Amino acid sequence: MKGRPLLGFTVCWITGSAAACLFSGYKLLILWAGCLLLLAIYAACGRLGWKQLAVFAISLAVAALYWEWNEGRNVSQLPEVLASQPAEQQESNVEAEGMIVSPVERDGDRVDFTLKLSQIRSNAAGQTAAQVKGELVAVQIKLQAEAEIAVAANWARGDRVVLTGELVLPGEARNFGGFDYRAYLHTQRIHWLLKGSGGGSVEATPPESWGASTLLRWNDAARIVLGAEMDRLFQDRHSGYMKGLVIGIQDDLDPETFRQFSQLGLTHILAISGMHVAVYVAVLLFILRHCRVTRETALTVTLLLVPVYVLLSGAGPSIVRAGLMGMIALLAARLGMLKDGLNILAAAALIMLVWNPYLLMSVSFQLSFLVTAGLMVYVPLANPLMKRLPGWLGSSISVTLIAQLVSFPLTIYYFNQFSLLSFAANLVLVPFITFLVLPLGTLALLLGWFWEAGAGVVADAAELLNNATFGAVEWVNGFSGGVLIWRSPSLLWICGYYLLLYGLLYALKQRAGAQVREIPQYMEDETRPLAELAPEGNGKGKGRSRERDALALSFQPRGGIRLAGSAVLICAAGLVLLLYRGYHVVSLEGAGAISYLDVGQGDSILITTPGGAHILVDGGGTLSFGNKEEWRIRRDPFEVGAKTLLPLLKQRGIHRLDAVILTHGDQDHAGGLQAVLEGMPVSAVLFNGTLAEREPYRKLMRTAITKKARLYAVQQGQTLAPDDQTKLFFLWPEPPQTDGQSVLPAVEDQNHESVVFRLEMNGRNFLFTGDMDKASEQAVILAAEQSGLDSGAKIDVLKVAHHGSKTATGAEWLEFWRPAFAVISAGVNNSYGHPNGDVLERLAESNTAVYRTDLHGEIQLKVQQEEIAVRHKLRAAQEEQPTPEKEKR
């Protein structure tokens, strides 16, 4: 940092901002003091001047204060009457006026844009319009008729609008480690959602005069035109892919194509980045040079045209970073100043973070800057290791390998998976797409404006190459064992990884350099006597002395090799240990765990035994009512298994599910398991021994067979023992009456056939009931009485059947099991009215404390022999009983 003060200043600015983001109060002060101490030690070692130390200390402090200042201003300006209501009740019908300040995007029957409010009025009687200065709200309009698509198509950035709708708070994370939409919108300075119904809820008026948004409005229109031209030139799947590749429009990218690319770590190709800017700048300079324009003029013109390309490409964090770096480099070249890649990168980062400090939390921003910095720092260390390879091959391998190694921690932190085949895929496909597909797509787009036939030929050629790419990606992804699932690492783990990686590459470079110096040039002929290597001496003793000096000289590099070799072993061992600890799930130290996940209106429960087995009971499911009209279907609709359940399992580092227990075939229990079976290894699937006459259920069973998961039909009287401290006793359904037939019966009423089992873990008892009804409850009790039992084992925690429906959880059932606590899984404001009031009353009469996912979010139990520790994600607005951190039997 001594030779790069701008780089040091920016690193300190980022550190101060990150510290203020993660900590507050005395913890922030302690961290700031620790950073100052490290800087002081660095300065005391002579690596940093004391003036620079003072500047860097100021950078740390100012960055933290700047973040806090922005946080203090990032609050809602809406009327107090709305902001003071409880979270579950913060909704109101309002009439809002303002200006559209974002592109208007439509996906199926929903239209989204951001509105900058000028005033807002509650529709409640007697309410007057309140003036709001610049409040941003996210608007979601659900279209009611296909004809309204044309109406929404006329809305654009800069329009003045008046709209009516319901003002609600964005959803927050309801599971530990889940995506927090409210926190994400906070980084966009948005605190409310405004939901309207139908195109008639919006009255839009185009701007009458030029304003600051006019340029962006034109840019949005130009991107729409470019996207439409791509749609005309390419077929459906190719169109969305080429729009992302050439102009950065990813909205129409096929979700399956994106998933395939994401699994191999190839999504960076679809985001406009430094590579695109470099090609753009190189082409412009090439054209201008051949137009006999002076070097200074060419640099100036290119500098002015870079922002045009950034805007047309969507102005995402990665393209803005690349554009800023390109502009700074062009300006430095124009002024004849010394160019330094790291200083340029630091300047771009500092400008962006001063403009918007919340960019620091953007995944795109982090990956873009980190990978770029990593290439600048680590590639020079890796290049000497490739010296025996041809120059072009060694350079390609070095850049690809470093990009993979540098992006690895953030990849597993945000996406929780990494493909072992990612390096090979990037090494082959990135140059193929960059130097063949991208130029052809760009050329087809340009030719389409004046030479239709030529554009068609070029587009056909690009589609042939695309088909080869898609086929290769799908084939490589077929090797499912190549994808590893990682839990999200800590910040300390990530820092340790980068330090050990740098140390390993530096030691390898030093070792390679020592090997080159091992035999000096004058010692290449090993047949020459050692005495001849020493200068002639006047005496016998001096000759022997010179011989010893020559001998010491010849062996000195071997000492360097040994030292470098030791450093390599230490860093490699540290890195292996770090990866091992990061890959394996944190041990519960003999405890078990049960997580009642919040999957909305449905059930999904994750059981982790003391021995480390993972059992998933049901998978939730997104309910669908009838067939939607084609125009209403969204490109990537929400599905709880793919969007909530599978990411949660991966985020917790679960590499394989030892068993999936499907209690019955209803969609709100079975639907989410489809994504789980497709995205994660599953050893066995236990089900109720019946089939549901529904295609999603049959597809699920076919997928289980295809993925080679063992299928077991469980029934009353069977047991399962995953480890010494855990045992499952299956209480229902009854053994089927097959009459000697091996065909599984099709059962319409799946609730009655729900799998019911008692879990005994670390001496504690838990009852899982699916959607059983009162008839099956009575049958279980009757079977127990016939066995001589007056009551069942005392249950610590009961999973209330059927989401608290009145069809189950009778008084006799509660008396038989005497549960201490109960968990109800139900969706917020569900249309079924779950949980039923009578059920809640019966639970209260039996002195059973109740936890509910609709109020508490995910509910986690840590099961030990001496106690059951309870925690839940949300603090309920109106809790029916205390919810201490630990509940004892």
Side-chain angles (χ1 to χ4, degrees):
M1 289 191 295
K2 188 173 183 180
R4 294 188 177 99
L6 180 58
L7 175 63
F9 185 90
T10 303
V11 169
C12 291
W13 185 277
I14 292 174
T15 303
S17 299
C21 174
L22 296 173
F23 304 101
S24 60
Y26 73 93
K27 292 183 178 180
L28 179 59
L29 290 176
I30 292 175
L31 184 61
W32 186 72
C35 292
L36 284 182
L37 179 61
L38 290 176
L39 287 173
I41 294 174
Y42 199 62
C45 294
R47 305 298 300 273
L48 187 68
W50 292 103
K51 290 183 179 179
Q52 286 185 331
L53 171 64
V55 173
F56 291 169
I58 293 173
S59 176
L60 281 168
V62 172
L65 292 173
Y66 186 64
W67 180 278
E68 294 293 343
W69 179 72
N70 276 277
E71 278 286 278
R73 297 172 64 235
N74 190 11
V75 294
S76 176
Q77 301 293 321
L78 290 179
E80 188 69 18
V81 65
L82 298 177
S84 63
Q85 296 180 21
E88 284 73 20
Q89 302 176 12
Q90 285 195 345
E91 55 185 45
S92 176
N93 292 320
V94 298
E95 180 182 274
E97 296 183 21
M99 182 176 68
I100 299 176
V101 292
S102 74
V104 178
E105 300 175 348
R106 183 183 71 85
D107 184 9
D109 61 353
R110 199 177 89 177
V111 178
D112 293 87
F113 57 85
T114 301
L115 184 68
K116 187 175 183 180
L117 293 175
S118 57
Q119 65 179 23
I120 190 169
R121 176 190 298 108
S122 173
N123 288 338
Q127 290 289 329
T128 58
Q131 300 296 321
V132 183
K133 297 181 179 179
E135 174 85 9
L136 297 178
V137 296
V139 177
Q140 298 175 354
I141 305 295
K142 187 171 183 180
L143 305 180
Q144 300 299 315
E146 188 173 3
E148 293 178 344
I149 295 177
V151 176
N154 292 322
W155 303 339
R157 193 197 308 247
D159 285 355
R160 305 292 303 183
V161 299
V162 177
L163 61 88
T164 57
E166 184 181 44
L167 194 67
V168 299
L169 277 175
E172 55 185 326
R174 303 188 61 85
N175 294 283
F176 292 99
F179 175 67
D180 195 325
Y181 186 50
R182 184 180 299 179
Y184 166 75
L185 287 182
H186 179 84
T187 65
Q188 311 299 310
R189 304 181 189 274
I190 297 174
H191 307 278
W192 295 88
L193 295 178
L194 185 53
K195 298 184 176 182
S197 179
S201 63
V202 179
E203 297 179 9
T205 304
E208 297 179 355
S209 59
W210 285 35
S213 64
T214 302
L215 178 61
L216 295 176
R217 182 185 180 92
W218 289 349
N219 183 71
D220 293 341
R223 284 171 58 80
I224 292 174
V225 171
L226 292 174
E229 183 66 14
M230 282 292 193
D231 290 332
R232 188 180 66 83
L233 291 171
F234 295 94
Q235 300 179 27
D236 289 343
R237 186 184 185 187
H238 298 276
S239 172
Y241 173 72
M242 296 304 293
K243 281 193 283 188
L245 183 64
V246 177
I247 52 179
I249 299 177
Q250 298 188 2
D251 297 336
D252 296 331
L253 183 64
D254 176 56
E256 179 60 22
T257 301
F258 182 82
R259 188 189 69 80
Q260 295 273 1
F261 274 64
S262 177
Q263 186 164 304
L264 281 179
L266 291 169
T267 51
H268 62 91
I269 298 176
L270 305 175
I272 305 297
S273 60
M275 178 266 295
H276 297 76
V277 173
V279 172
Y280 175 76
V281 169
V283 169
L284 283 177
L285 290 176
F286 176 82
I287 294 173
L288 292 172
R289 184 169 64 250
H290 281 75
C291 291
R292 296 185 179 181
V293 176
T294 63
R295 176 180 178 273
E296 290 74 15
T297 303
L299 291 172
T300 302
V301 171
T302 305
L303 173 65
L304 296 175
L305 290 178
V306 167
V308 177
Y309 181 71
V310 170
L311 288 173
L312 286 175
S313 301
S318 60
I319 182 63
V320 172
R321 186 270 308 164
L324 280 174
M325 288 189 66
M327 293 172 66
I328 295 171
L330 289 167
L331 181 61
R334 176 68 176 81
L335 299 177
M337 299 170 59
L338 180 64
K339 300 180 289 295
D340 182 275
L342 283 173
N343 273 329
I344 293 174
L345 182 67
L350 189 61
I351 292 171
M352 293 179 69
L353 290 177
V354 170
W355 174 261
N356 181 9
Y358 292 113
L359 284 174
L360 186 64
M361 303 175 68
S362 166
V363 181
S364 177
F365 178 91
Q366 294 174 13
L367 280 171
S368 177
F369 276 93
L370 195 60
V371 171
T372 305
L375 291 174
M376 294 180 182
V377 173
Y378 291 104
V379 167
L381 300 178
N383 279 335
L385 308 179
M386 309 294 173
K387 61 181 180 298
R388 295 187 179 181
L389 298 174
W392 64 271
L393 181 59
S395 177
S396 298
I397 291 178
S398 178
V399 170
T400 304
L401 179 63
I402 294 302
Q404 293 292 298
L405 292 174
V406 170
S407 62
F408 170 73
L410 289 187
T411 299
I412 64 172
Y413 181 86
Y414 288 109
F415 308 110
N416 301 114
Q417 66 180 28
F418 184 80
S419 174
L420 297 176
L421 302 174
S422 179
F423 168 73
N426 276 271
L427 182 63
V428 175
L429 292 178
V430 169
F432 177 78
I433 295 172
T434 301
F435 299 114
L436 290 177
V437 179
L438 176 60
L440 286 177
T442 306
L443 181 60
L445 181 62
L446 296 174
L447 291 177
W449 301 106
F450 56 86
W451 188 19
E452 182 70 23
V457 171
V458 175
D460 290 341
E463 289 186 356
L464 287 175
L465 298 179
N466 289 344
N467 288 331
T469 302
F470 299 154
V473 169
E474 186 174 356
W475 178 74
V476 174
N477 279 325
F479 299 94
S480 57
V483 178
L484 301 181
I485 296 173
W486 295 72
R487 63 184 175 94
S488 295
S490 66
L491 180 60
L492 183 63
W493 188 96
I494 294 174
C495 293
Y497 171 88
Y498 285 121
L499 288 175
L500 287 172
L501 178 61
Y502 183 87
L504 178 61
L505 292 175
Y506 183 81
L508 286 171
K509 180 184 177 182
Q510 294 297 107
R511 188 172 185 274
Q515 287 177 333
V516 171
R517 297 189 303 270
E518 180 179 356
I519 302 179
Q521 185 175 1
Y522 55 80
M523 293 186 63
E524 290 180 355
D525 186 1
E526 297 180 358
T527 63
R528 295 173 62 191
L530 184 61
E532 295 181 12
L533 301 175
E536 295 182 1
N538 295 327
K540 191 173 181 180
K542 291 184 178 180
R544 286 196 298 269
S545 176
R546 291 188 178 92
E547 290 175 13
R548 287 194 297 269
D549 291 342
L551 184 64
L553 178 63
S554 67
F555 280 94
Q556 185 177 0
R558 291 188 179 273
I561 292 176
R562 287 194 294 270
L563 182 61
S566 300
V568 168
L569 290 176
I570 293 173
C571 291
L575 197 57
V576 170
L577 179 61
L578 193 74
L579 293 173
Y580 176 83
R581 295 293 301 272
Y583 181 72
H584 289 275
V585 180
V586 178
S587 172
L588 295 176
E589 299 179 349
I594 302 176
S595 298
Y596 299 84
L597 303 172
D598 189 339
V599 290
Q601 184 63 17
D603 273 10
S604 188
I605 306 162
L606 177 64
I607 301 170
T608 300
T609 70
H614 299 290
I615 301 172
L616 181 66
V617 184
D618 291 332
T622 304
L623 299 177
S624 178
F625 302 96
N627 295 323
K628 284 187 176 182
E629 300 171 81
E630 185 176 353
W631 70 272
R632 291 184 180 275
I633 299 175
R634 296 173 188 172
R635 288 182 295 272
D636 191 16
F638 176 81
E639 199 284 308
V640 70
K643 302 293 187 181
T644 299
L645 182 56
L646 184 60
L648 282 175
L649 296 176
K650 290 183 176 181
Q651 190 262 347
R652 296 172 190 195
I654 297 177
H655 311 128
R656 170 181 290 272
L657 288 171
D658 297 276
V660 167
I661 300 177
L662 174 57
T663 60
H664 62 296
D666 285 356
Q667 181 68 11
D668 59 339
H669 292 250
L673 293 178
Q674 182 66 39
V676 172
L677 287 174
E678 291 176 350
M680 175 174 291
V682 175
S683 297
V685 175
L686 285 61
F687 69 113
N688 62 5
T690 70
L691 291 178
E693 291 292 346
R694 307 179 184 97
E695 178 54 30
Y697 184 84
R698 293 181 177 274
K699 179 182 178 182
L700 177 66
M701 289 299 175
R702 291 195 298 268
T703 303
I705 295 172
T706 302
K707 295 292 185 177
K708 298 181 178 171
R710 300 186 298 275
L711 290 172
Y712 297 99
V714 297
Q715 57 193 35
Q716 192 178 59
Q718 292 181 334
T719 61
L720 175 67
D723 56 47
D724 294 339
Q725 299 297 320
T726 309
K727 198 167 186 179
L728 283 72
F729 302 87
F730 291 96
L731 309 177
W732 195 257
E734 293 179 303
Q737 303 296 326
T738 59
D739 298 328
Q741 298 180 3
S742 59
V743 178
L744 295 177
V747 176
E748 181 63 27
D749 183 10
Q750 286 282 315
N751 288 344
H752 181 71
E753 301 296 329
S754 288
V755 173
V756 179
F757 66 95
R758 178 172 65 87
L759 169 68
E760 184 178 306
M761 185 162 65
N762 276 344
R764 301 292 177 144
N765 286 280
F766 307 85
L767 191 61
F768 298 85
T769 56
D771 277 0
M772 71 185 303
D773 53 18
K774 289 182 179 179
S776 52
E777 289 179 356
Q778 293 296 325
V780 171
I781 294 174
L782 179 60
E785 291 175 346
Q786 291 175 349
S787 301
L789 297 177
D790 294 330
S791 64
K794 178 176 173 59
I795 296 298
D796 292 280
V797 181
L798 165 71
K799 204 290 293 185
V800 175
H802 204 174
H803 323 293
S805 168
K806 63 181 180 182
T807 60
T809 318
E812 188 176 355
W813 180 255
L814 293 174
E815 177 63 25
F816 184 80
W817 293 109
R818 297 167 294 140
F821 301 97
V823 175
I824 302 175
S825 180
V828 178
N829 298 325
N830 64 86
S831 59
Y832 303 97
H834 295 158
N836 181 263
D838 294 339
V839 172
L840 293 175
E841 186 176 341
R842 286 197 291 271
L843 289 168
E845 291 174 352
S846 64
N847 295 319
T848 303
V850 177
Y851 293 93
R852 296 165 47 177
T853 59
D854 61 332
L855 296 180
H856 301 96
E858 180 186 354
I859 299 150
Q860 288 187 349
L861 310 179
K862 185 177 181 180
V863 184
Q864 299 171 299
Q865 293 184 358
E866 62 275 9
E867 65 181 8
I868 299 176
V870 183
R871 71 168 185 164
H872 46 83
K873 185 66 175 72
L874 306 178
R875 182 176 298 277
Q878 296 178 345
E879 298 187 8
E880 300 181 17
Q881 72 286 320
T883 56
E885 288 301 312
K886 294 185 178 179
E887 301 288 0
K888 296 187 178 180
R889 186 171 179 174

